[in-house]
Amino acid sequence: MHLVHLVQSLALAHVALAVTNAPNRGWRSLVRRADNDTAAAGGNATDPSPYATIVPSETLKWTPCLEDLVNQATAANLTASKRRFECARLLVPYDYEQGNASAGQFSLAVIRSQAVDRSNYKGPMFVNFGGPGGSGTSELLGKLLGPGAKTTEELLKDYDVVSWDPRGVGSTLPALTCYSAELARTFSSLNIIQASLYGSNDSLVRLDAENQVRARGCVEHSGDILPYVGTLYAAQDLRRLVESYGHCDKLSYIGFSYGTLLGAFYAALYPDKIERMILDAAHWIHIHQGVIDPTYATQEIFNPKQYVDPDKILEDFFNWCFLAGKERCEFWYDSPSAIRDAFFKLDNRLHEQPFPVPSKPDGWVLSWAQFRSALFQLLYNPLDEFPGIATQLAQLTNGTYNTAIADAPKNPFDLPHLTDPIKKMKNGAENTPVITCADRPNWSMGDNLKEVDAYLRSKEVTDPTIFGSYLVGYLSLLCSRLPTNTTKRFTGSFKDITTSKPILFVSTLHDPVTPLHMAYSASSGFIGSSVLINNITQHCGLAQMSECTTNAVRAYLTDATLPENGTMCQPQLLPWGLLPEGGFAPDGTTVEGLLSAEASPGESKKKTPGAGILGSSFD
């Protein structure tokens, strides 16, 4: 993936709660978004999404959808999956306590793919891919049809795989929006990112001003639904989805990143309604409970020492680039420390002087803020992204980087009007802060901008980590302007909860936004739960499977058997084709290669990289 593609998508960057720019993102364009002005009461013939003609109902009424798309994908050899899709719209009340349609209803966009093997049918497996603000209907297509789908077929063949767009998101109506024009959204989001990186002396006041603009837009365009988009309501919607599905009264669920928070809310609200629950890349679950030490947010969220994993991943880049050698890694120097020095020399140069990219037909300017932002997002998926990072760092260093701003990843199913990443994630830029702040409105460092600015520029923030000021800066004023005091919130506790089936938590050893200690912290609140560690650098532990992780997940899905707490699985493959035990994988071995779940009798298991369950990368 080119830096330019990430620079294009920085207007959608959610930073600490980011929606990952996954390798499968071309698949995300396969589902067109519903227009924001489509009424929840019914379909709209001008809406190009598969939900346009589906009449919302208070029960799930499934209709076949996306058949042409799947046939095209099969004909183009983009998928070997036998799965087909059905869509529905489910009406849910704005407020479950009021419980009547007159107060307002959301029309949830829901998608499912029925079980491939129904001989041992286990019902629905609900999946939330992260965010907040990520579209489950769009993501599910890529995960079930794109690279890595074979692993999903093996592990989830007995399940209907189900996802949905949470209230306010994607094709769910009414959609939450804070801007009437995409251009306004783009400029505002880019300005927020630029200000979060403290590239100038007025960064913080500009960040505050942009937050004011966004907040006013949210009230103007979506004021009627702002009080009803928090995770508490999303958990209640998930309960309604389970009940409406009708197979079983208990939930089977996989949640990635923000999806772990949604799953934890559900488990705390309905602890006796859990059949299976896998929570991968746990968020700060405990900061959302009803009673909490007010200093916790400052000690945890705004403490840059919590964000050391991105630095560790960058160190992995230096080390693995050196081991890969100059034939494979284009940013190679004669030691990891020399590669590190070359990187920071380039980083400092961009900080002092942005790089004018001489591409044709249109040149553009790569700023230090854009460079750091793009680099951070690329740390989500080192296996796929590190080789490309090395190439682009080398080009920036020697002045040959000239990727055109208009270039985009080519995919036969990238519809022309969706090649703009802003349209691919239509309202994602505002969903993340609005939903986050609905859950935790006091997630702010305060109103004294001078004091906040002094802290963010202090060595306490800038010295411990490379990216700490970036993450703390974005979060520092995230909720200071949004009017979310009328939203109902979770007032319970995440302590000593006994669920009907134990929860499996999953984490990587180094995760750029949800470090391992968060998984242990979350697990501590649920009696009998266990943490499985995938010894990789990646966002989400199940994004890169191995024989060990595959067996652990299979055992849990089969009879709820958990691995011993703290079990660590080793990877099959490292970036540049490096093997953990030394040497290189055969040429042509890629992330799409799959570890055979069961070797044939007399056949040894071939070492190939493990694709992720439900895809190769997550939000």
Side-chain angles (χ1 to χ4, degrees), residues 263-322:
F265 269 52
Y266 184 98
L269 290 167
Y270 314 105
D272 60 338
K273 303 297 184 183
I274 307 294
E275 183 62 27
R276 297 288 187 275
M277 182 171 283
I278 300 175
L279 302 182
D280 186 0
H283 273 229
W284 280 294
I285 287 174
H286 289 90
I287 67 170
H288 295 276
Q289 60 193 31
V291 181
I292 191 168
D293 181 350
T295 64
Y296 186 89
T298 301
Q299 293 171 349
E300 299 294 325
I301 301 170
F302 304 131
N303 182 354
K305 293 180 181 178
Q306 297 294 327
Y307 305 106
V308 297
D309 273 17
D311 296 50
K312 294 176 180 177
I313 297 172
L314 195 58
E315 287 296 322
D316 285 337
F317 171 81
F318 303 146
N319 292 325
W320 288 334
C321 175
F322 173 71

Side-chain angles (χ1 to χ4, degrees), residues 460-501:
E460 183 181 353
V461 174
T462 59
D463 281 3
T465 73
I466 300 168
F467 295 99
S469 60
Y470 173 33
L471 298 173
V472 175
Y474 173 79
L475 296 171
S476 62
L477 300 178
L478 185 67
C479 303
S480 61
R481 298 293 182 177
L482 285 167
T484 55
N485 0 346
T486 57
T487 305
K488 289 188 176 71
R489 298 177 189 89
F490 180 70
T491 57
S493 170
F494 289 107
K495 294 182 179 178
D496 302 324
I497 299 173
T498 300
T499 52
S500 50
K501 287 292 194 303

Side-chain angles (χ1 to χ4, degrees), residues 83 113-125 151-161 245 247 252 554 557-559:
R83 287 185 176 269
S113 179
Q114 293 194 49
V116 174
D117 182 359
R118 303 191 71 85
S119 61
N120 188 32
Y121 179 62
K122 296 177 181 176
M125 175 65 74
T151 304
T152 304
E153 294 286 5
E154 194 277 321
L155 288 172
L156 299 180
K157 61 184 179 182
D158 303 324
Y159 289 95
D160 297 342
V161 184
Y245 208 93
H247 173 79
S252 291
R554 184 187 296 113
L557 293 177
T558 300
D559 56 15

